[in-house]
Amino acid sequence: MQAAQALGEALEAGQRETLAFRSDPVAAIEMRAKANRFAPGVEREDLPAFCARDFEPEAVGTKVDDGERRVDWTKSASGGTAMKAFGHDLRVRQQSKVRLAKWPTTVEPVYASKDEYRALLEQQVDHLSSLQERLYASSGYAVLVILQGMDTAGKDGVIKHVLTGVNPQGCEVTSFKVPSATEAKHDFLWRTACRLPERGRIGIFNRSYYEEVVAVRVHPSFLHAQNVPAGDTAGGKLWRGRYRSIVDFEHHLARNGTVMLKFFLHLSRDEQAKRLIERVDDPDKRWKFNPADVVERGHWEAYVDAWERCIAATSTGRAPWYVVPADDKPNARLLVASVIADTLDRLDLRYPPAEARSLREMRRARTALAESITSADRRTG
């Protein structure tokens, strides 16, 4: 009876909030932001932090070059002057604690004007297109790019603007929504494993299996649809187990030729509110608006806590997380593009050389083709 009453009250509150948002979105957002603060005693368990050292050395302890990584910029295509170097380290080092409040959501932009932004983006897209072609030709690696972040963080924009010039035959985007009934009957990694890129291709996950240790952690009721054994959810056991499954899974992929890049688009709460309001005010963007996004803002601190734990637990040398300042959309796109291009550059991708026999066959074919052209010219002459 008490549970039914609590559910009814929650539904009524949600309806009131939706109506309030429609009548005055600014006031509704501010009301929700103030009224719903994360209560540490409710969702947060006082448990030891997950640490990669808990794993066997072969799985996680492989020595890697996990030193400081910075984005190195080439010369500006528009003005010919050197672009501003991005001084913040985007990469989360393995076994480090993560406090997102200490990571900036905005930094000095690497572009000086809109024209320079367009020129730099075009330069990066062209470079990525060339790298993707070599990746496809060599077929030695697969590349998996995971994009995560709060609602309105700009994941769709990164996909649209950064990957526009990449050959669609060698690149596939998969957006993951709420698991279907069939997907919920499998383990939480199953549906994403089915969409992994093959060697020679780039796969982009717009959201991913990380929702299963973030959104599901914020909303434990989502577990009901997955029929997880009750004993596995007690005392944080479920989350630690899923962290381990993710790290093992990603290291398995790395050992088999998949290069992983995971981006958390770090958005401030105020900037999210502005973007939601813009969706309401702009008729061309209203189709993007979902009142549920406003409701989710009430769980902001819970999401921050879940992401901090998740990123700290799963950023490894082979599958690193990059925390990208996302309040400035163009800047975030350039940073993501640069990290992807830098990573592909380090693979030293090359076109496969022709074998001696194949080369002889090519030369014979070329001679025959050239002779056929000459014969045709003679007949027409």
Side-chain angles (χ1 to χ4, degrees), residues 96-129:
S96 63
K97 292 183 179 180
V98 176
R99 292 293 177 265
L100 289 176
K102 296 183 179 180
W103 290 75
T105 60
T106 182
V107 292
E108 183 180 1
V110 298
Y111 61 95
S113 64
K114 289 184 178 180
D115 288 340
E116 186 176 27
Y117 159 69
R118 295 189 189 99
L120 293 175
L121 184 62
E122 182 179 358
Q123 174 186 326
Q124 290 285 2
V125 169
D126 288 345
H127 187 42
L128 277 175
S129 180

Side-chain angles (χ1 to χ4, degrees), residues 20-21 23-31 277 281:
F21 188 88
S23 62
D24 189 345
V26 179
I29 287 176
E30 294 301 324
M31 177 184 70
I277 292 171
D281 293 344

Side-chain angles (χ1 to χ4, degrees), residues 263-274:
F263 296 97
F264 179 77
L265 302 182
H266 189 24
L267 183 73
S268 69
R269 188 170 188 149
D270 288 345
E271 179 62 24
Q272 187 195 59
K274 293 176 184 177

